Amino acid sequence: MTSFAAHSTACSKAVLLLLSALLLVCSQLAAAKHAGITRRYKFAIKMQNVTRLCQTKSIVTVNGQFPGPRIIAREGDRLEIKVVNLVKYNVTLHWHGVRQIRSGWADGPAYITQCPIQTGQSYVYNFTIIGQRGTLFWHAHISWLRVTLYGPIVILPKQGVSYPFPQPFKEVPIIFGEWWKADTEMVISQATQTGSAPNISDAFTINGLPGPLYNCSANDTFKLKVKPGKTYLLRLINAALNDELFFSIANHTLTVVEADAVYVKPFKTNILLITPGQTTNVLLKAKNHHPNATFLMAARPYATGPGAFDNSTTSGILEYDRPFSSKTKTNKLHMIKPTLPKFNDTSFAANFVKKLRSLANAKFPANVPKKVDRHFFFTVGLGILQCSQNQTCQGPNNTKVAAAINNISFAQPNIALLQAYFGRVNGVFTSDFPANPPFKFNYTGNPPSNIFVTSGTKALVLQFNTSVELVMQDTSIIGAESHPLHLHGFNFFVVGQGFGNYDSNKDPAKFNLVDPPERNTVGVPSGGWVAIRFLADNPGVWFMHCHLEVHTSWGLKMAWVVMDGKGKKQKLPPPPSDLPQC
């Protein structure tokens, strides 16, 4: 009897141990499901011959692909992307819109968070996607190399978590680009030497293809085949260098559900506006029947500035799957074209962006800072700089066009700001970037007689967890213009915007602090202003710049330094051992 009891007790213990082990495994699996996995990519930067517009040229690519490879991850995943530079140019890559929480060494802008990866060298970008899901993109962040070095980042929700909108039948990235027949590194180099505006592009592209409205491009056309009655999620990305774009699909309504990888209250539109650096997810519901037509999808510029621009249209074709019984060939079908706004339709632009609102619900709250610790007012726009005596510039009295924030045109340092800040290297930058313009004037009226700007490498220092309100004001100097401003390391809430000069007494009363859109790139309206708020909860050095590459080249950029907090999880870790050196 005793031996039976002992055996029974031993069996019970074994069963309990087995159950405990199973429970532990299940809990670990559940944790793993939410903790994310490590995904590894290898990006070889190499030259590749590509033919567009009847001309073959050698372009800089990742792994020989144009556009570059798609990165797919889930919220919570860690990414390790090894970049090997096999070209003659210095290279860095930026993971546009990824928060990079405590991983500023992986952010990528050259001479801001890292020195470039030189020919023959490599660097592993190592970061975790925290609290984000949606469409972002990666691109080169040095000189004008991002003209061909770009690709989508698709961040899926955590395993088992659904979208806050109906599950689409299929998801399709659509990435807009810009194409030059000329070598773009030569284009910007010549413009920099002469102080003149760089030559404009020859075409825009959809997924690397110009489309049938350009010469020689009937075969270089993106085609989207759809099934009747199905819903498609289009992940739209504007990777163009210098142009905001209107986009439409003929005879189809789009439902906007996300902007800059943040869900928005869904709204329907036939046309949308997307600036360089912005992403927009839209639902496309295919018609329930087989229409006897194909439909053009088209994008062309929204342009407001005084300079020349590429006034051409890129297009792709939306085709319906034909039933087997149908005898009509696709190329015999009637093609319907969309109507897009005029190139300078600022009222459409303003009305479109007003429709964007955060979900602001329990699951996806809009954590807008209600209390503001520090207020900043930045003028953004153009001006002129005096060229050096040994330089021949095309402006009056040997001057050149420049761009500036608060009259400071950013001068690129020769070592990265983050390396200088972390390593306490003196003399690289100063921390006296002005919180306001040096003098007040009628910003959107007649410009002042003195339109010279000052060159400098200046940053603005913020204590950890400072809540910031920043008003950005366009100016009419040389010409009013829309400026898509991108902030690295943070999302911000767009709490207000308007035309004319910002009024600090009247305008804040109209701010939306309930459900403003949360973005990483916002258009400062042409002849107007925009107000944003963000919490400086990410230690490091963070670039802020216009995402029109020509304006970045002219100096429309600055940096924020966010100091470490007191807690261990509030400090920037030391740099990785393979961080490139200048």
Side-chain angles (χ1 to χ4, degrees):
M1 188 74 184
T2 312
S3 63
F4 176 75
H7 179 70
S8 174
T9 305
C11 283
S12 299
K13 281 183 177 173
V15 169
L16 279 169
L17 279 168
L18 186 64
L19 281 170
S20 300
L22 279 169
L23 281 168
L24 182 66
V25 168
C26 288
S27 66
Q28 284 175 338
L29 282 171
K33 186 170 94 171
H34 294 290
I37 61 170
T38 299
R39 298 174 188 258
R40 294 179 176 87
Y41 289 83
K42 185 174 178 184
F43 278 18
I45 312 293
K46 57 192 289 193
M47 303 304 293
Q48 183 71 36
N49 281 347
V50 173
T51 303
R52 297 287 185 275
L53 310 177
C54 279
Q55 180 185 314
T56 301
K57 65 184 263 197
S58 186
I59 64 169
V60 186
T61 69
V62 165
N63 301 343
Q65 295 173 237
F66 174 69
R70 186 186 319 178
I71 289 175
I72 300 180
R74 286 195 183 276
E75 179 186 344
D77 283 353
R78 184 169 151 217
L79 286 166
E80 287 182 10
I81 303 155
K82 183 174 184 179
V83 177
V84 182
N85 185 5
L86 304 175
V87 301
K88 67 180 181 180
Y89 306 106
N90 286 344
V91 169
T92 71
L93 295 185
H94 169 55
W95 320 96
H96 183 110
V98 174
R99 282 282 324 264
Q100 296 293 1
I101 295 170
R102 297 179 62 243
S103 56
W105 303 109
D107 191 42
Y111 302 103
I112 304 297
T113 60
Q114 67 167 97
C115 297
I117 307 165
Q118 296 175 33
T119 305
Q121 293 184 347
S122 65
Y123 178 49
V124 177
Y125 289 93
N126 188 336
F127 55 91
T128 301
I129 294 163
I130 300 169
Q132 292 182 280
R133 79 296 304 162
T135 304
L136 296 170
F137 71 117
W138 59 264
H139 61 78
H141 214 307
I142 184 167
S143 189
W144 277 26
L145 290 184
R146 76 174 180 88
V147 68
T148 55
L149 275 179
Y150 61 81
I153 300 176
V154 174
I155 307 168
L156 300 169
K158 289 181 178 179
Q159 200 83 41
V161 177
S162 58
Y163 296 130
F165 47 81
Q167 180 69 28
F169 172 69
K170 192 177 179 186
E171 301 183 9
V172 184
I174 292 182
I175 190 159
F176 303 108
E178 206 163 351
W179 184 267
W180 273 257
K181 288 181 179 178
D183 176 348
T184 38
E185 289 305 284
M186 291 291 290
V187 168
I188 186 57
S189 173
Q190 287 169 357
T192 304
Q193 284 167 18
T194 61
S196 58
N199 291 341
I200 60 171
S201 56
D202 296 289
F204 298 101
T205 57
I206 296 175
N207 290 346
L209 302 167
L213 302 180
Y214 295 101
N215 287 340
C216 297
S217 301
N219 294 329
D220 290 333
T221 300
F222 172 70
K223 292 184 179 176
L224 175 61
K225 295 199 172 179
V226 299
K227 293 179 186 292
K230 299 291 186 187
T231 298
Y232 294 79
L233 179 68
L234 307 184
R235 297 177 175 272
L236 307 175
I237 300 162
N238 189 348
L241 240 63
N242 292 320
D243 290 272
E244 304 184 38
L245 295 169
F246 294 120
F247 174 72
S248 182
I249 302 177
N251 280 24
H252 287 74
T253 301
L254 304 171
T255 303
V256 177
V257 292
E258 180 199 296
D260 288 0
V262 181
Y263 298 130
V264 297
K265 290 184 171 75
F267 67 92
K268 289 182 163 50
T269 185
N270 296 320
I271 303 162
L272 59 85
L273 173 69
I274 184 166
T275 81
Q278 289 184 341
T279 61
T280 308
N281 280 8
V282 298
L283 294 174
L284 166 71
K285 175 83 161 55
K287 299 177 189 299
N288 289 320
H289 60 286
H290 289 92
N292 217 13
T294 59
F295 303 90
L296 205 70
M297 60 176 81
R300 77 166 183 226
Y302 164 54
T304 54
F309 67 98
D310 177 355
N311 193 14
S312 65
T313 304
T314 182
S315 56
I317 296 171
L318 178 71
E319 293 179 354
Y320 278 75
D321 266 2
R322 310 298 298 161
F324 289 117
S325 57
S326 172
K327 296 278 197 297
T328 314
K329 287 188 176 176
T330 305
N331 58 7
K332 299 271 178 72
L333 292 171
H334 174 59
M335 183 185 286
I336 300 171
K337 296 179 180 178
T339 302
L340 288 164
K342 288 182 178 175
F343 73 88
N344 59 354
D345 195 340
T346 293
S347 64
F348 176 91
N351 289 330
F352 177 79
V353 296
K354 279 177 188 166
K355 294 175 187 172
L356 292 161
R357 299 288 176 106
S358 288
L359 283 182
N361 58 25
K363 198 171 180 185
F364 300 104
N367 297 317
V368 191
K370 300 292 196 294
K371 176 183 74 73
V372 174
D373 297 321
R374 294 191 67 183
H375 293 261
F376 298 96
F377 182 78
F378 287 2
T379 52
V380 294
L382 305 180
I384 56 171
L385 263 176
Q386 188 68 53
C387 292
S388 60
Q389 288 181 340
N390 57 3
Q391 189 181 6
T392 305
C393 289
Q394 294 185 349
N397 301 317
N398 204 35
T399 56
K400 62 180 178 181
V401 176
I405 301 176
N406 277 354
N407 229 48
I408 307 289
S409 186
F410 187 85
Q412 184 174 281
N414 52 19
I415 76 163
L417 298 187
L418 185 58
Q419 285 167 292
Y421 168 68
F422 194 88
R424 293 184 168 83
V425 179
N426 293 324
V428 177
F429 70 95
T430 57
S431 55
D432 57 347
F433 190 92
N436 294 283
F439 56 93
K440 289 184 177 179
F441 61 97
N442 182 2
Y443 305 114
T444 54
N446 290 325
S449 54
N450 180 1
I451 59 169
F452 276 93
V453 299
T454 307
S455 181
T457 311
K458 296 175 185 289
L460 233 163
V461 180
L462 297 170
Q463 297 289 330
F464 184 83
N465 255 359
T466 300
S467 60
V468 173
E469 181 179 285
L470 166 63
V471 175
M472 292 181 281
Q473 170 76 59
D474 182 38
T475 78
S476 58
I477 295 173
I478 298 181
E481 188 163 2
S482 173
H483 297 277
L485 262 289
H486 171 51
L487 175 61
H488 290 229
F490 300 94
N491 281 348
F492 50 75
F493 292 96
V494 185
V495 295
Q497 60 182 30
F499 290 110
N501 298 339
Y502 173 72
D503 186 330
S504 58
N505 295 318
K506 293 179 182 174
D507 288 324
K510 303 176 214 158
F511 284 179
N512 174 10
L513 303 179
V514 178
D515 63 350
E518 185 181 344
R519 309 211 67 152
N520 64 59
T521 305
V522 66
V524 178
S526 178
W529 56 270
V530 66
I532 66 170
R533 287 187 182 184
F534 67 95
L535 187 66
D537 59 355
N538 193 8
V541 176
W542 304 107
F543 205 22
M544 192 176 86
H545 60 96
C546 183
H547 222 276
L548 304 179
E549 212 59 42
V550 58
H551 290 171
T552 304
S553 302
W554 286 345
L556 211 164
K557 47 194 171 181
M558 57 81 68
W560 302 85
V561 175
V562 178
M563 298 176 74
D564 283 347
K566 290 176 182 172
K568 190 182 174 186
K569 291 285 177 76
Q570 298 175 345
K571 297 183 192 303
L572 177 70
S577 58
D578 63 338
L579 185 74
Q581 299 300 309
C582 290

